[in-house]
Every structure is written in C-alpha cells, then in structure tokens.
C-alpha cells in the first residue's frame, strides 16, 4: 500500500492511508484550518454493521498540505458510563469543529442519537476543547431552538399545535425520507416547546465572525439555518426554515463572492442519490434550487459519484478554490467507507463538480 508520505494527489474513492499507513478513519467529517495547519475531524467507524454506531468517537488528523495526514488520535471519545448521552453504541454523526476567537475555545457540534433509540432523538451534541486536537469535553445534547419561532414563518403559523393535530401526527408514519404526504406546516409547531429535530448538519463561520448551524429538521423534510451565540456553544435565538418538504440532508456549505451555496442530498439512507445545489444572496434566504451540480456519466450524476456531500473546504488565499468532500458509505462494513474529494469548477459562474480519477491542487491554477 502506498503510504500517505508518498501521496501528493487526491484519489477519490481509493483507500487513503495516514502517516502510519492506516486508512484514514474520519467519516462524515469536516476540515478546520488553524494556524496554517488543516485538521480533519470525522466519525471513527469500526468494522462491520456495528460501525454504523459510535464505538470510539471523533477522530482527528492534521496536515500541512491536505494530501498527507497525521493521526492525532481521538478528539472526542464516547463514554463508558451507562446512560451518558454519548455512551458507546450511540449514533454520533457529522462532527464539525470551529474556533471561537473571543473565548479561545474549539467548539465541536455533531448529530447525536442516544443509544438504542434509532434516529428518534434528533439531538445536537456540543463539545469543547482548549487545544484543536482535543481532548474535547462533552457539554450537552439537546434539540435546538426550543421556544423560538422560525423567523420566516407568518405570524398566523406561530402557534403551538392543537391537540387533535398532535394526535393525528402521532398516527402517521414519518420516517426520514420523502413521503406521499408530509405535514410541512405542522412539525416545527409540534416541536416548538421541546426544540427542533436536528440530524445531518454542518457549521459555517461567516466573514463577520458570526457562526451558523445548518441541520436537517422536521423529520428530514426541511433544513434549518440557525445562528449561534457569540461563544458558539448555543443557538442565538434566530433561525429560518429552508425549502420545507424538499427533504434535503447532508448539507455542505460555502460562500463565493458574497453568495451563499449549499450542496445537499436527497434522503435515501446510506444509498447515494443525486446531489442538489442551493443558493441564496443572504444567509436567511430565500434559497433557490439550481439543480444537480455533478458533471459526468448518467450514473455519476445520479449517484454523486456514489457518494454523499459532507463539507466544502475553501482553500486559503485562493479565489474560487474549493474542495467538495463527500462520503462513499459502506454500511455493511462501515470502516471501509471511502472519501470522495473533488475540485469545485465554475461554469458560467455556477459551481459544478466533475469526476477526477486522480488530481492535485494545481487543478486550481489551470482554472479560468
Ligand atoms: C444519511 C445521512 O446523511 C447519514 O449521515 C446517516 O445518518 C445515514 N443517513 C443513516 O441512514
């Protein structure tokens, strides 16, 4: 096997060894650039189907160049304590870390499902550390925005759900994917008091230092964009609903020339589906759908190169240079999920993603 030390390119979908020759184990992850070093945080998965639950925690790697990654260990470990919200065997997905300059703390958010309850918890977990590689200390898990109405719903809809509608919802099978009937005006009202459901997620820090938590809510049918408090540890109390009933998950966020973009996916569990590109002129929207950003064969376009979006990494000091990061899941042997990193290309100003068997950062020098 080629070791990471010899790697000076990206090979999407191939095994990617770390500095010790061990395949990188950081699924559903995100990258933080701090003091000139990249840190890749992701779900540490174990072998087999058991790897779809969290038995170890969040793994972190560091790199000076994005090709070669040094294993920095487990940033946030799951707990051995029975009943802990992050007890091993819970579901801990899509961890992202941002740095809060005023407090000097590194803040991690992730999607958390307490052990043994499937995906019904729909919680956000928060952990914090003084050093970028951790150890991260678990702070709390909760449903965000309890007692707060979305900023973009009419006053007439800002009222808690009537008991008969609650009873009706209780009889409905509301899985995590599109349904013939999706009660798109009811779920955020049902969850007003206890907090909004939060599954697939990412974080974004804007140029003005304000941070946002973007998560699939309302049974995966509606994305929420939620501002974070100044210390990044809690929701600030303002959020909007995005494209209710469109079932977008796996949000990966980026900003180009003052415009905001997300790549998302449809909701089909671990199976790949066509990606979607969403855009808006302000964080709060309105968000428009621009279609599928993937370029290639019908099969590549229909499956997002057999992968699902997880993060878009801006390259510092370069205009319009972004890496699209996606996961090629392997739910039967979770540890063998692969990483698909591809350059974002601009066609008539629209961000698109094409397949590369092998590529390096010189790609961006050639981009016109
Ligand atoms: C799709 C999500 O994007 C993943 O993070 C994971 O939650 C799977 N669904 C589980 O089926």
């Amino acid at each position: 096997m080629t070791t990471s030390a010899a790697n000076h390119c990206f090979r999407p979908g191939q095994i990617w060894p770390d500095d010790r020759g061990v395949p990188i184990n950081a699924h559903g992850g995100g990258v933080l650039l701090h003091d000139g070093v990249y840190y890749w945080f992701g779900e540490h998965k174990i072998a087999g189907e058991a790897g779809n639950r969290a038995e170890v925690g969040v793994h972190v790697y560091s790199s000076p160049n994005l090709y070669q990654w040094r294993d920095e260990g487990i940033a946030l470990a799951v707990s051995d304590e029975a009943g802990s919200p992050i007890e091993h065997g819970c579901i801990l997905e899509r961890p992202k870390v941002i740095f809060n300059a005023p407090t000097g703390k590194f803040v991690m958010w992730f999607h958390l499902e307490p052990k043994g309850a499937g995906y019904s918890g729909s919680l956000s977990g928060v952990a914090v550390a003084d050093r970028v590689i951790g150890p991260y200390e678990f702070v709390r898990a909760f449903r965000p925005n309890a007692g707060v109405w979305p900023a973009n719903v009419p006053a007439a809809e800002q009222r808690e759900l009537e008991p008969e509608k609650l009873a009706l919802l209780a009889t409905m099978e509301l899985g995590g994917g599109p349904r013939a009937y999706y009660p798109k005006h009811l779920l955020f009202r049902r969850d007003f008091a206890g907090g909004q459901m939060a599954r697939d997620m990412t974080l974004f820090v804007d140029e003005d230092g304000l941070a946002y938590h973007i998560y699939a809510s309302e049974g995966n049918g509606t994305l929420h964009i939620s501002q974070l408090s100044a210390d990044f540890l809690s929701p600030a109390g303002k959020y909007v609903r995005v494209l209710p009933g469109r079932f977008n998950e796996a949000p990966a966020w980026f900003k180009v020339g003052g415009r905001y973009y997300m790549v998302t996916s449809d909701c089909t569990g671990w199976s790949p589906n066509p990606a979607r590109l969403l855009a808006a002129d302000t964080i709060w929207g309105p968000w428009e759908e621009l279609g599928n950003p993937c370029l290639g064969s019908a099969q590549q376009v229909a499956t997002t190169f057999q992968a699902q979006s997880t993060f878009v990494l801006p390259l510092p000091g370069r205009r319009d240079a972004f890496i699209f990061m996606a996961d090629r899941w392997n739910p039967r042997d979770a540890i063998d999920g692969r990483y698909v990193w591809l350059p974002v290309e601009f066609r008539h100003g629209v961000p698109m993603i094409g397949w590369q068997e092998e590529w390096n950062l010189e790609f961006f020098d050639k981009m016109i």
Side-chain angles (χ1 to χ4, degrees):
M1 186 193 295
T2 347
T3 67
S4 176
N7 278 349
H8 284 93
C9 61
F10 304 107
R11 297 191 185 94
Q14 302 297 309
I15 285 177
W16 194 346
D18 66 12
D19 59 317
R20 298 173 305 154
V22 176
I24 291 172
N25 199 334
H27 309 264
V31 172
L32 173 70
L33 176 63
H34 188 74
D35 285 345
V37 178
Y38 295 96
Y39 296 89
W40 178 358
F41 296 84
E43 305 160 29
H44 179 109
K45 291 188 180 276
I46 64 167
E49 289 183 15
N52 299 313
R53 294 182 296 280
E55 298 294 350
V56 177
V58 176
H59 210 132
V60 57
Y61 297 82
S62 66
S63 172
N65 56 20
L66 296 171
Y67 307 119
Q68 298 147 7
W69 291 92
R70 177 182 144 133
D71 184 356
E72 300 284 4
I74 300 302
L76 172 68
V78 294
S79 170
D80 289 333
E81 197 188 309
S84 158
I86 56 166
E87 180 181 355
H88 65 85
C90 67
I91 293 173
L92 193 167
E93 293 181 339
R94 298 183 177 268
K96 305 288 180 284
V97 173
I98 52 181
F99 177 60
N100 187 277
T103 61
K105 304 271 187 202
F106 297 88
V107 182
M108 179 189 290
W109 284 65
F110 48 90
H111 167 203
L112 180 72
E113 299 291 348
K115 186 174 184 171
Y119 280 84
S120 61
S122 306
L123 307 180
S124 297
V126 180
V128 72
D130 293 323
R131 294 169 64 217
V132 59
I133 59 171
Y136 283 74
E137 194 187 330
F138 175 71
V139 179
R140 65 180 177 132
F142 62 109
R143 283 190 171 191
N145 291 311
V148 182
W149 290 113
N152 63 343
V153 302
E157 284 185 45
Q158 296 188 8
R159 57 201 161 86
E160 288 196 61
L161 214 54
E162 300 78 0
E164 63 277 12
K165 287 199 179 127
L166 267 181
L168 174 71
L169 281 186
T171 65
M172 292 171 68
E173 163 57 34
L174 293 169
R179 289 278 179 276
Y181 175 67
Y182 172 68
K184 73 175 174 188
H185 299 293
L186 304 187
L187 297 180
F188 73 93
R189 292 173 53 200
R190 178 196 65 187
D191 295 334
F192 173 77
Q196 300 294 323
M197 298 174 74
R199 291 184 182 150
D200 278 9
M201 56 139 284
T202 194
L203 300 177
F204 171 70
V205 184
D206 208 345
E207 286 148 301
D208 58 7
L210 297 180
Y212 299 86
H213 175 210
I214 300 98
Y215 54 89
S217 191
E218 303 179 36
N220 276 354
T222 304
L223 288 170
H224 288 185
I225 298 173
S226 169
Q227 191 175 330
L228 296 185
S229 56
D231 59 8
F232 298 172
L233 294 174
S234 327
K238 179 174 181 184
Y239 71 107
V240 289
R241 306 172 70 219
V242 174
L243 300 172
R246 272 298 283 151
F247 284 85
N248 285 294
E249 65 176 4
W253 178 289
F254 57 115
K255 184 179 184 184
V256 188
R259 197 149 202 246
Y260 298 91
Y261 291 93
M262 278 189 258
V263 180
T264 65
S265 74
D266 193 356
C267 302
T268 54
W270 300 114
S271 308
N273 59 58
R276 299 150 174 197
L277 181 67
L278 318 182
D281 289 327
T282 75
I283 286 192
W284 303 119
W287 285 80
E288 60 171 327
E289 294 196 50
L290 300 181
N292 188 334
C294 298
L295 303 165
S297 69
Q299 201 249 5
Q300 287 172 324
V301 171
T303 65
T304 316
F305 315 104
Q306 295 172 59
Q308 187 186 29
S309 43
T310 187
F311 198 73
V312 175
L313 173 64
L315 296 183
R318 304 181 81 133
R319 219 175 133 240
D320 298 350
F322 298 89
I323 298 177
F324 170 71
M325 295 167 48
D327 288 283
R328 189 173 284 174
W329 304 113
N330 184 348
R332 294 221 172 111
D333 188 18
I335 195 174
D336 193 33
R338 305 290 176 86
Y339 313 104
V340 172
W341 287 26
L342 292 166
V344 174
E345 309 172 32
F346 289 85
R347 302 278 171 101
H348 305 289
V350 178
M352 309 289 287
I353 306 154
W355 177 252
Q356 308 280 334
E357 214 47 57
E358 184 172 302
W359 67 285
N360 61 33
L361 297 178
E362 286 171 20
F363 178 95
F364 296 110
D365 301 332
K366 296 180 207 129
M367 221 167 60
I368 33 163

